[in-house]
Amino acid sequence: MDIIEIKNLNLFYTNFHAIKDVNMKIKANKITALIGPSGCGKSTLLRTLNRINDTIEGVRIEGDVIVNGKNIYDPDADVDRIRRNVGMVFQRPNPFPLSIYNNVAFGLQINRLVSRKDETDFIVKESLEDVQLWDDLKDKLKMSGLELSLEQQQRLCIARLIAVKPEIILLDEPCSSLDPMATAHIEELMQELKSKYTIVIVTHNMQQAARISDETGYMLLGKLIEFDATGKIFTNPSKQETDDYVSGRFG
Amino acid sequence: MRHFDLEMNDLKKKLVDMASLVQEMIKISVDEIVKRDESLSKEVFIREREANLTEIIVDDTCLKLIALNQPVGADLRFITSAMKINSDLERMGDEAVNICEIGLNLLKYPELKPLIDIPKMASAVTIMVKDSIESFNLSDAELANTVLTKDDEVDELKRIVFKDLLQFMTNTSDQTTLSRAVDLMLIAKSLERLGDHATNIAEDVIFMVHGKDIRHIKSI
């Protein structure tokens, strides 16, 4: 089932045409990877999926991004609700300078999603369990999130995000500041999470895209050159440009 | 040129060299029987050792290319095809050795009958082997396709050879005649197997070029 449908999407940074006529359908409970050389528009495309680009001055967007049948660019769309439903994890872990507990509970409290302490406790526990931090941190919930290792911080950021029950998780180079072992752990976590969430990941690491994703899109100069099953993209892509990129001859 | 591309070219050269070696083995083994010259067998046995060694070197090269470069797309298809072609070539060398060894036995006795269809088979198989390797070297899927068609011709010749030899066998109780007929059948079988290996190579080339697996299309 398609959870996101991008139709004729164009994005301009003032006069710069950063996304050009992108059309793609993203399947629910799958991992979709976006790859391409620096500046190709993959992060920009990812950011259109929860309207984070709206915060940048001079951005103009044309086309539709339909999530669960509703165009998130409709004038009456509730941006806060969209961003709760489509959460984002960034390159460097960015926990708040708060306790582990309060990091995870932050979205619940600010959005007034729960009123009772025991409900918050339950969701904090459930979220930390989902990112496999609960067993290690259940006795240290008052410790600052900033005291954790980078990998744990990134897991904490994912827990903070899933506490508000999104359907879609966007990850923008989530492992670029992690060592290989921590990267492997986060990749494993993504595989665990996809049964509950739809994941879209931007990565520079092609082997990572090959390892973890179900479908891969290759972008170049703002265009989506090819979008297909990951197995096909990495064994027999339809476009020569894709083959040149994935085989390291270009980019 | 990138270091990886140089290594890929080197792999291709190793396989093409091995194919030349195997082609020589096939030619010499058939000459041994047609020209009734048992001294030629030595030449085949010497080359077999070289072919076996090359098989190991090519496999090792492929494994290192995969492990160290994580190839994808056309590069991955090239390397996996190279590994399969390598194995087919080595087995073709083994078939040439089989022909040679049976030939040594056959040459102990006078000719059973003038050889007509076996040299025809050998000539068709030689073309198949040459074209399959050429198609690999040039990444030429069209040429590879011609090899597939030629295999039917070889199979038909084998059928004729078997039919003729069975006739000989039913009309005699002489042990040496029977033994020579069986030997000729085994040689025809080996030639047919050579054609099958050339067909495998051609199928690998088509996969390598187009990413399309055409094996067993009729049976699945």
Short mmCIF file of all heavy atoms in Angstrom, two decimals, chain A residues 207 210 233-237 243 246-249, chain B residues 2 4-5 70 72-77 210-211:
data_model
loop_
_atom_site.label_atom_id
_atom_site.label_comp_id
_atom_site.label_asym_id
_atom_site.label_seq_id
_atom_site.Cartn_x
_atom_site.Cartn_y
_atom_site.Cartn_z
N GLN A 207 26.27 1.41 0.19
CA GLN A 207 26.17 0.05 0.76
C GLN A 207 25.07 0.03 1.82
O GLN A 207 24.38 -0.96 1.97
CB GLN A 207 27.51 -0.40 1.37
CG GLN A 207 28.42 -1.06 0.37
CD GLN A 207 29.00 -0.06 -0.60
OE1 GLN A 207 29.46 0.99 -0.18
NE2 GLN A 207 28.98 -0.35 -1.88
N ALA A 210 21.84 -0.23 0.06
CA ALA A 210 21.69 -1.59 -0.46
C ALA A 210 21.33 -2.57 0.66
O ALA A 210 20.50 -3.46 0.48
CB ALA A 210 22.97 -2.03 -1.15
N ILE A 233 17.99 -1.90 -8.46
CA ILE A 233 18.88 -0.73 -8.61
C ILE A 233 20.35 -1.15 -8.50
O ILE A 233 21.21 -0.65 -9.21
CB ILE A 233 18.57 0.34 -7.53
CG1 ILE A 233 17.18 0.94 -7.77
CG2 ILE A 233 19.64 1.43 -7.45
CD1 ILE A 233 17.06 1.93 -8.89
N PHE A 234 20.63 -2.11 -7.61
CA PHE A 234 22.04 -2.46 -7.37
C PHE A 234 22.52 -3.67 -8.18
O PHE A 234 23.68 -4.05 -8.07
CB PHE A 234 22.29 -2.68 -5.88
CG PHE A 234 22.32 -1.39 -5.12
CD1 PHE A 234 21.19 -0.90 -4.49
CD2 PHE A 234 23.48 -0.62 -5.07
CE1 PHE A 234 21.21 0.31 -3.81
CE2 PHE A 234 23.51 0.59 -4.41
CZ PHE A 234 22.37 1.06 -3.77
N THR A 235 21.62 -4.30 -8.95
CA THR A 235 22.12 -5.39 -9.80
C THR A 235 21.91 -5.07 -11.27
O THR A 235 22.75 -5.38 -12.10
CB THR A 235 21.42 -6.74 -9.51
OG1 THR A 235 20.02 -6.59 -9.69
CG2 THR A 235 21.72 -7.23 -8.12
N ASN A 236 20.79 -4.45 -11.59
CA ASN A 236 20.51 -4.22 -13.01
C ASN A 236 19.64 -2.98 -13.19
O ASN A 236 18.48 -3.08 -13.60
CB ASN A 236 19.79 -5.48 -13.56
CG ASN A 236 19.62 -5.40 -15.05
OD1 ASN A 236 20.32 -4.65 -15.73
ND2 ASN A 236 18.66 -6.15 -15.56
N PRO A 237 20.20 -1.80 -12.88
CA PRO A 237 19.37 -0.59 -13.01
C PRO A 237 18.98 -0.35 -14.46
O PRO A 237 19.69 -0.76 -15.37
CB PRO A 237 20.30 0.52 -12.49
CG PRO A 237 21.68 -0.03 -12.59
CD PRO A 237 21.57 -1.51 -12.46
N ASP A 243 23.51 3.28 -13.09
CA ASP A 243 24.61 2.30 -13.04
C ASP A 243 25.94 3.01 -12.80
O ASP A 243 26.75 2.58 -11.99
CB ASP A 243 24.65 1.50 -14.34
CG ASP A 243 25.34 0.16 -14.13
OD1 ASP A 243 26.52 0.13 -13.79
OD2 ASP A 243 24.67 -0.86 -14.29
N VAL A 246 25.91 4.10 -8.96
CA VAL A 246 26.02 3.04 -7.95
C VAL A 246 27.32 2.26 -8.08
O VAL A 246 27.82 1.71 -7.11
CB VAL A 246 24.81 2.07 -7.92
CG1 VAL A 246 23.54 2.78 -7.52
CG2 VAL A 246 24.63 1.34 -9.24
N SER A 247 27.89 2.24 -9.30
CA SER A 247 29.16 1.51 -9.46
C SER A 247 30.36 2.42 -9.21
O SER A 247 31.50 2.00 -9.39
CB SER A 247 29.24 0.87 -10.85
OG SER A 247 29.17 1.87 -11.83
N GLY A 248 30.09 3.65 -8.80
CA GLY A 248 31.19 4.55 -8.40
C GLY A 248 31.90 5.22 -9.56
O GLY A 248 32.99 5.76 -9.39
N ARG A 249 31.34 5.17 -10.76
CA ARG A 249 32.00 5.81 -11.90
C ARG A 249 31.62 7.28 -12.03
O ARG A 249 32.18 8.00 -12.82
CB ARG A 249 31.63 5.08 -13.20
CG ARG A 249 32.24 3.74 -13.24
CD ARG A 249 32.23 3.12 -14.61
NE ARG A 249 33.07 1.95 -14.56
CZ ARG A 249 32.73 0.82 -13.97
NH1 ARG A 249 31.57 0.69 -13.40
NH2 ARG A 249 33.56 -0.22 -13.94
N ARG B 2 40.25 4.08 -13.58
CA ARG B 2 40.29 3.75 -12.16
C ARG B 2 41.01 2.42 -11.93
O ARG B 2 40.99 1.54 -12.78
CB ARG B 2 38.87 3.60 -11.61
CG ARG B 2 38.08 4.88 -11.56
CD ARG B 2 36.77 4.65 -10.83
NE ARG B 2 36.09 3.43 -11.27
CZ ARG B 2 35.11 2.84 -10.61
NH1 ARG B 2 34.71 3.34 -9.47
NH2 ARG B 2 34.51 1.76 -11.07
N PHE B 4 40.10 0.06 -10.07
CA PHE B 4 39.11 -1.03 -10.14
C PHE B 4 38.88 -1.47 -11.60
O PHE B 4 38.82 -2.66 -11.89
CB PHE B 4 37.79 -0.54 -9.52
CG PHE B 4 36.65 -1.53 -9.64
CD1 PHE B 4 36.68 -2.73 -8.94
CD2 PHE B 4 35.56 -1.26 -10.45
CE1 PHE B 4 35.63 -3.64 -9.04
CE2 PHE B 4 34.51 -2.16 -10.56
CZ PHE B 4 34.56 -3.36 -9.85
N ASP B 5 38.80 -0.49 -12.52
CA ASP B 5 38.58 -0.83 -13.94
C ASP B 5 39.78 -1.59 -14.51
O ASP B 5 39.62 -2.49 -15.33
CB ASP B 5 38.30 0.44 -14.75
CG ASP B 5 36.94 1.03 -14.37
OD1 ASP B 5 36.01 0.26 -14.11
OD2 ASP B 5 36.84 2.27 -14.32
N GLN B 70 32.93 -4.18 -3.33
CA GLN B 70 31.47 -4.24 -3.26
C GLN B 70 30.82 -3.79 -4.58
O GLN B 70 30.08 -2.81 -4.61
CB GLN B 70 30.93 -3.38 -2.12
CG GLN B 70 31.30 -3.87 -0.74
CD GLN B 70 32.52 -3.17 -0.19
OE1 GLN B 70 32.65 -1.98 -0.36
NE2 GLN B 70 33.40 -3.90 0.45
N VAL B 72 28.47 -3.34 -7.84
CA VAL B 72 27.03 -3.43 -8.06
C VAL B 72 26.76 -3.29 -9.56
O VAL B 72 27.67 -3.06 -10.34
CB VAL B 72 26.25 -2.34 -7.27
CG1 VAL B 72 26.39 -2.54 -5.79
CG2 VAL B 72 26.72 -0.95 -7.67
N GLY B 73 25.50 -3.42 -9.94
CA GLY B 73 25.08 -3.18 -11.32
C GLY B 73 25.87 -4.01 -12.33
O GLY B 73 26.12 -5.20 -12.12
N ALA B 74 26.28 -3.37 -13.42
CA ALA B 74 26.95 -4.07 -14.52
C ALA B 74 28.24 -4.73 -14.02
O ALA B 74 28.61 -5.82 -14.47
CB ALA B 74 27.25 -3.09 -15.65
N ASP B 75 28.95 -4.08 -13.08
CA ASP B 75 30.20 -4.66 -12.57
C ASP B 75 29.93 -5.97 -11.84
O ASP B 75 30.66 -6.95 -12.00
CB ASP B 75 30.87 -3.68 -11.59
CG ASP B 75 31.32 -2.41 -12.28
OD1 ASP B 75 31.60 -2.47 -13.50
OD2 ASP B 75 31.38 -1.37 -11.62
N LEU B 76 28.86 -5.97 -11.04
CA LEU B 76 28.52 -7.19 -10.28
C LEU B 76 28.14 -8.31 -11.25
O LEU B 76 28.56 -9.46 -11.10
CB LEU B 76 27.35 -6.89 -9.33
CG LEU B 76 26.89 -8.06 -8.48
CD1 LEU B 76 27.98 -8.52 -7.53
CD2 LEU B 76 25.65 -7.69 -7.67
N ARG B 77 27.36 -7.95 -12.26
CA ARG B 77 26.96 -8.97 -13.24
C ARG B 77 28.16 -9.51 -13.99
O ARG B 77 28.26 -10.70 -14.27
CB ARG B 77 25.92 -8.40 -14.22
CG ARG B 77 24.63 -7.96 -13.57
CD ARG B 77 23.49 -7.95 -14.57
NE ARG B 77 23.75 -7.13 -15.73
CZ ARG B 77 23.58 -5.82 -15.82
NH1 ARG B 77 23.14 -5.16 -14.76
NH2 ARG B 77 23.83 -5.16 -16.93
N HIS B 210 22.50 -7.71 -20.56
CA HIS B 210 21.14 -7.16 -20.42
C HIS B 210 20.54 -7.36 -19.03
O HIS B 210 19.44 -6.87 -18.76
CB HIS B 210 20.19 -7.83 -21.43
CG HIS B 210 20.53 -7.49 -22.85
ND1 HIS B 210 20.72 -6.19 -23.27
CD2 HIS B 210 20.71 -8.27 -23.94
CE1 HIS B 210 21.02 -6.18 -24.56
NE2 HIS B 210 21.02 -7.42 -24.99
N GLY B 211 21.21 -8.10 -18.16
CA GLY B 211 20.64 -8.39 -16.84
C GLY B 211 19.43 -9.31 -16.93
O GLY B 211 18.60 -9.34 -16.03
#
